[in-house]
Amino acid sequence: MIELDIAGLVVIAGQAGGIGTDAALSQLDIASAEAALAEARLAGREAVSAARSHRRGNGPAGERPDRAAAAAAAAAAAALMRALLRHPPLPGHREQVAAAAGLQFLAINGWQADLDVPKAAALTIKGLASGQLAPADATFWLEVRLSPDPAWPDRQAQALPPESRARRIMHAPMAAVRHRQRSRPGPFVITLGSAHGPAGIRTPATGLMPFTGPALSSVILSGTEARRRGQPRGLEHILFGLTGQDDSVAVKALERIGISRETARQQAENTTSEGPPQPPSGRAPDTPQARRTWRAVLDEAVAHGDNYISTEHFLLALYCHSDAAVVQALAGLGADESQVRAAVTAQRAESGPERPA
Amino acid sequence: MAEAAETGSGRTKNMVLRLDPALAERLAAVAEVEGRTVSDVAREAIAALVEARRKDKRFLRQLEDNLARHQRLLDLLREDQP
């Protein structure tokens, strides 16, 4: 794996901090930078080794080599970010430099990170900075978002003889697409439980993240409500489902801000509309926003260091759609994202996690 | 690993550099001959490396792409900065 050196770090810090390379060099804390890079090298090698041995011993059967490589790259990037957060090379830009360096490390090793929910990514960096999130958790979070850089095969083509190079250039776009499709992190499966296992969200990187009891009830209720109204499941149905129980962390967090369960439910009602009734069986399809929310739910769980999916993860995930009517309605009642996050933190500290399903 | 230490006062600061022994010796020798501090010599050496990296077009293009794609994340981290 190609490692970052101190010169690369200066260039990254200058750009990420918005101060330019010269200023970054003059402000560089050389001892911290050297300490961070040395620690990252050591921790990265250990993490990569651990990720590989874990995959050999417990990885999914038939797992593709590119996913094992993604796990190793994610482990090394997480170790680098953690080291730079512990030994900031540039005063005042600690988290930005760590994030940018981690992303650049992945890029020079041929990986792209698809961080489509920036808020969750920021929480992950902050969790790493505060020590609330272990590098192994950040590795899991990052791994599923990695895909090979489509430009990588182009670079390899440079070394081919002219005839082969021409063929590669002609076929490069499709090859890149196929390469990307092959290397997607695999199915993102939502299961509502069966004789074969509990309900939850499963990805190759995280394994099964089981729903808590209230979260499972919310998911079922949101689907039932969407079907009853003859609509695909959207954000308003998810909020409707969340307000179905009065003992969930999500409802209690809203109550802390002064929003009762009934008021939140009314907001969900107000932002939805009726469609033709649908049969009460079968699964309601999700709107594109809802599909993205499922990813955000997983992001929130991992960013909080949880190995389960709870109602507060759903509530916070709604805020990745800040323009959505239901989110605007909650914000209008005083529940903007920062207040909800603070209320969730306080509620979790007071009541602890929800009971398992 | 060797440690090259220097003690400063006023606007300078104490720092410890963990260096490869051979590199530490060379840095100390250059500093001695030129009458400068080890950290000055080290910073100058890093500046030369940085200059070379600034000409690495592939590295710069990847960095620009990365920063542009993740601008919102960097903004969020900047906003929350104490």
Side-chain angles (χ1 to χ4, degrees), chain A residues 93-164:
Chain A
H93 302 277
R94 183 170 77 136
E95 293 170 354
Q96 292 153 264
V97 171
L103 292 166
Q104 183 69 1
F105 169 81
L106 291 167
I108 64 176
N109 283 287
W111 295 95
Q112 279 186 344
D114 300 316
L115 309 181
D116 55 354
V117 185
K119 189 78 191 181
L123 274 173
T124 303
I125 302 287
K126 288 180 181 301
L128 260 182
S130 66
Q132 288 179 329
L133 198 64
D137 296 324
T139 298
F140 281 138
W141 179 84
L142 187 57
E143 180 193 337
V144 293
R145 287 163 179 79
L146 294 187
S147 55
D149 182 353
W152 213 242
D154 292 353
R155 191 191 69 162
Q156 292 165 352
Q158 302 292 320
L160 296 174
E163 290 171 15
S164 303

Side-chain angles (χ1 to χ4, degrees), chain B residues 12-57:
Chain B
T12 63
K13 64 174 183 175
N14 299 332
M15 57 186 290
V16 176
L17 279 177
R18 283 165 287 277
L19 300 169
D20 176 82
L23 178 58
E25 266 181 37
R26 283 164 59 191
L27 275 179
V30 172
E32 178 71 26
V33 168
E34 297 186 358
R36 294 189 294 157
T37 64
V38 171
S39 67
D40 272 350
V41 177
R43 197 172 292 274
E44 190 176 278
I46 294 169
L49 292 172
V50 168
E51 201 48 44
R53 183 48 57 88
R54 283 167 108 167
K55 293 174 183 161
D56 183 342
K57 289 181 183 169

Side-chain angles (χ1 to χ4, degrees), chain A residues 205-297:
Chain A
T206 62
L208 179 73
M209 301 274 276
F211 291 129
T212 62
L216 178 58
S217 300
S218 296
V219 171
I220 293 170
L221 186 56
S222 65
T224 306
E225 186 62 17
R227 276 196 309 276
R228 189 180 71 76
R229 292 172 183 270
Q231 299 168 325
R233 175 164 47 196
L235 303 190
E236 61 278 15
H237 304 113
I238 292 175
L239 179 61
F240 199 89
L242 285 176
T243 57
Q245 300 88 47
D246 56 9
D247 60 345
S248 71
V249 172
V251 165
K252 290 190 177 302
L254 287 174
E255 285 173 349
R256 278 179 174 268
I257 309 171
I259 301 174
S260 68
R261 185 165 74 103
E262 292 71 25
T263 305
R265 202 176 181 81
Q266 190 59 48
Q267 294 305 316
E269 287 273 3
N270 293 346
T271 51
T272 192
S273 56
E274 298 285 342
Q278 290 190 352
S281 60
R283 191 180 154 192
D286 290 327
T287 63
Q289 277 188 328
R291 280 200 293 276
R292 195 168 163 222
T293 302
W294 287 107
R295 287 274 178 194
V297 167

Side-chain angles (χ1 to χ4, degrees), chain A residues 13 49 69 73 105 107 164 194 335 347 351:
Chain A
S49 172
F105 169 81
S164 303
S194 68
Q347 186 57 41
S351 62

